[in-house]
Amino acid sequence: MNLLSRTPKNAVEQFESMLHEAGLSEDISVEVSTKSPGTLEDQYRQWLNAGRGKPDILTMDVGWSIPFIRRGQLLNLSEHLPEDTLQTIEDDFNDASVDSSRGREGDIFGVPFMFDVRGQYYRRDLAKEAGYDPEGENWSTEPMSWAQFSQITADVQRQQGLEYGITMPFELSQTVTCCTFNAIMSQWGGAYFGGRDYLFGPVGDRPVTVDEEQVLDALRMLRTLMYGHDDQHALDDQSFAGGVIPTDVLGWRYTKDLDAFLGGNAFSYTAGLPAIAQLGASDDNFGENVTEKVGMIPKPYGITEADSKHQGIGGTMSPLAGYNLSINPNSNSREAAIEVIQTMMKDEFLTKWFNVSGYLPPKTALLQSDAVTSHPLLGQYMDTLSVMAENVIPRPVTPIYFQESKVISQEVHNVVSQNKAPKQGMTDLKTQLQDIEESYGQ
């Protein structure tokens, strides 16, 4: 059995033994091949186009599974898994993750495996020194508005003499589309294509809503938090603190922004759990004191869900990230592959995997299990991540997602970098997206 995966080395070394401990048949051996996530999609496409039977199991990013499904290149698990297994996927696994590997008719082509949602990390120790009471005010579970959080950030930054308030990845790349702006736009009740009902299409027959006021307000907030109220397109609301996000983030992607936080130069940082698991506990950063120094809150919100015109959008929102497991339809070891996936769905395996890899169990009920909350580093964040798991937004994935992502990230970056006004940038973006949708309409 051959499985291609993006996993930490120490987790890979324990992978097969963990599967057998969870009940996998002893006569099934598992070889894990690892590749850079940046090369996985292209490699899969080449292999599957050639009809190659290996790897038997594919680790598919939640952001690009659907194009493979549309091309008929993944096994339809709804036709091959037992009914009770399918029911477990529907009932127990995170809905958004399951939907990211769902076909047009509702069939399932992938099982969630490595689940990643994002909270907002902050320096709990510095907040306390500045006079705040995170525990007494339930910061870990009660989302606060962006206005409130920006003021807290500005206050702590000023009192502690920090170089940065909030760091985030905003380099011109698809990270803007999938994650950073997707989350902030959703926290304001905005959507690229008319809300959840149109996330995965149909291409050419869905509204393009990037010029709606909620999207513009998200951009105005970013301009406010970066440049202050002197920016001519800042929010007309003095309750938002200006200058708490450095303009440096316009060139940062999941490296320098994390380094600024871990180096003690920032109050708050946003990224997935594995980053803090792998780096935050190292001796070079917070060392053994990470659990005392670093807290997590749900993502701040621009407007509440009740005030949003799009159902299920607004309030605290996290971008969906992670990987699902799919089966190569050309595999000569299909039955063994199915048994491996069924074994990996067990609570015992998922909680052990969390403890060696740092990836959250995609069965959201497990986030509150003793096996997870007792983790010495990550357990304290599970209350927050449970909130975020219930408020997750996927990226709008279709066969033309990457083409659309390119123009989205460019125009959003144009606006946030002050090269275009919010209205002009989103009007230009709407025209480009409509042209793409019409050209590839199905």
Side-chain angles (χ1 to χ4, degrees):
M1 175 62 47
N2 186 264
L3 181 148
L4 188 60
S5 177
R6 178 199 178 191
T7 53
K9 183 179 179 180
N10 68 317
V12 170
E13 294 171 349
Q14 301 178 59
F15 189 80
E16 184 174 9
S17 63
M18 288 169 53
L19 281 171
H20 288 301
E21 289 171 6
L24 181 69
S25 299
E26 291 297 328
D27 61 344
I28 298 177
S29 62
V30 180
E31 175 190 352
V32 180
S33 304
T34 58
K35 276 190 173 290
S36 164
T39 65
L40 271 179
E41 187 203 8
D42 288 340
Q43 187 69 81
Y44 284 170
R45 191 162 53 242
Q46 293 173 22
W47 287 342
L48 293 170
N49 285 341
R52 174 171 162 165
K54 298 290 184 179
D56 303 285
I57 299 176
L58 308 172
T59 308
M60 306 291 294
D61 192 298
V62 297
W64 40 254
S65 293
I66 286 178
F68 285 88
I69 296 171
R70 296 285 193 268
R71 293 191 294 264
Q73 293 180 316
L74 300 178
L75 188 71
N76 187 340
L77 300 181
S78 291
E79 297 176 352
H80 292 86
L81 292 179
E83 188 59 37
D84 60 340
T85 301
L86 291 169
Q87 197 62 50
T88 296
I89 295 171
E90 296 284 8
D91 292 346
D92 297 347
F93 283 74
N94 180 267
D95 291 341
S97 293
V98 175
D99 289 343
S100 70
S101 288
R102 198 184 290 277
R104 284 178 174 153
E105 305 304 318
D107 288 350
I108 293 172
F109 289 79
V111 178
F113 174 41
M114 292 188 285
F115 180 52
D116 187 8
V117 294
R118 282 91 193 269
Q120 194 80 23
Y121 295 107
Y122 75 100
R123 289 292 301 276
R124 177 166 48 209
D125 57 336
L126 300 185
K128 289 180 176 180
E129 290 176 16
Y132 295 94
D133 182 12
E135 286 79 16
E137 296 174 5
N138 299 320
W139 282 18
S140 65
T141 56
E142 295 184 11
M144 63 179 78
S145 69
W146 268 109
Q148 180 185 3
F149 187 61
S150 70
Q151 293 292 349
I152 291 172
T153 299
D155 184 28
V156 177
Q157 183 180 3
R158 181 174 56 252
Q159 288 195 46
Q160 300 291 341
L162 296 173
E163 184 176 1
Y164 307 119
I166 302 168
T167 64
M168 61 178 61
F170 222 94
E171 179 190 65
L172 179 53
S173 70
Q174 75 113 1
T175 298
V176 171
T177 306
C178 78
C179 303
T180 310
F181 188 66
N182 191 25
I184 292 173
M185 172 184 67
S186 300
Q187 292 152 17
W188 277 90
Y192 295 125
F193 298 103
R196 288 185 179 274
D197 291 345
Y198 301 98
L199 277 170
F200 308 125
V203 172
D205 191 25
R206 56 180 176 172
V208 178
T209 52
V210 292
D211 62 339
E212 290 185 343
E213 202 64 23
Q214 297 95 325
V215 180
L216 300 181
D217 280 341
L219 291 164
R220 291 171 184 136
M221 183 192 74
L222 284 168
R223 296 268 292 245
T224 307
L225 299 186
M226 261 185 215
Y227 307 104
H229 290 278
D230 289 339
D231 184 289
Q232 68 180 108
H233 297 290
L235 287 170
D236 185 20
D237 186 343
Q238 295 297 319
S239 65
F240 288 82
V244 295
I245 299 177
T247 57
D248 293 351
V249 304
L250 294 167
W252 287 354
R253 185 207 298 191
Y254 290 138
T255 49
K256 292 184 179 179
D257 55 332
L258 175 61
D259 291 342
F261 181 72
L262 295 178
N265 298 318
F267 173 64
S268 181
Y269 165 72
T270 174
L273 196 67
I276 204 75
Q278 295 170 26
L279 300 176
S282 72
D283 292 336
D284 293 336
N285 300 302
F286 299 124
E288 296 179 356
N289 295 322
V290 63
T291 55
E292 299 174 12
K293 293 183 176 180
V294 179
M296 184 188 293
I297 63 170
K299 291 284 193 181
Y301 62 88
I303 64 173
T304 65
E305 182 181 345
D307 291 330
S308 172
K309 65 181 292 186
H310 301 300
Q311 186 175 2
I313 298 178
T316 184
M317 303 284 306
S318 166
L320 175 67
Y323 293 84
N324 297 347
L325 298 175
S326 295
I327 294 179
N328 183 344
N330 307 309
S331 170
N332 293 317
S333 304
R334 185 178 295 177
E335 293 306 314
I338 288 173
E339 184 176 340
V340 169
I341 285 182
Q342 289 179 296
T343 303
M344 294 170 73
M345 290 172 55
K346 294 182 178 180
D347 293 0
E348 175 188 355
F349 178 84
L350 290 172
T351 53
K352 285 184 178 179
W353 179 253
F354 162 74
N355 278 281
V356 299
S357 72
Y359 279 102
L360 299 175
K363 286 184 176 180
T364 49
L366 291 179
L367 298 181
Q368 292 298 320
S369 66
D370 290 343
V372 172
T373 58
S374 62
H375 191 285
L377 173 63
L378 305 176
Q380 66 164 322
Y381 304 127
M382 290 306 135
D383 285 346
T384 303
L385 290 167
S386 293
V387 173
M388 300 318 306
E390 298 300 324
N391 293 277
V392 66
I393 185 74
R395 63 205 78 174
V397 180
T398 66
I400 58 172
Y401 167 70
F402 286 108
Q403 184 174 350
E404 293 186 323
S405 173
K406 185 175 181 180
V407 297
I408 291 171
S409 61
Q410 180 64 68
E411 292 297 348
V412 169
H413 202 271
N414 285 343
V415 172
V416 179
S417 61
Q418 295 182 308
N419 289 318
K420 287 188 179 182
K423 184 66 175 178
Q424 183 62 59
M426 292 304 98
T427 299
D428 293 346
L429 175 58
K430 182 174 184 176
T431 299
Q432 294 174 72
L433 290 176
Q434 287 176 328
D435 289 344
I436 295 171
E437 291 276 314
E438 291 172 5
S439 296
Y440 293 90
Q442 301 170 352

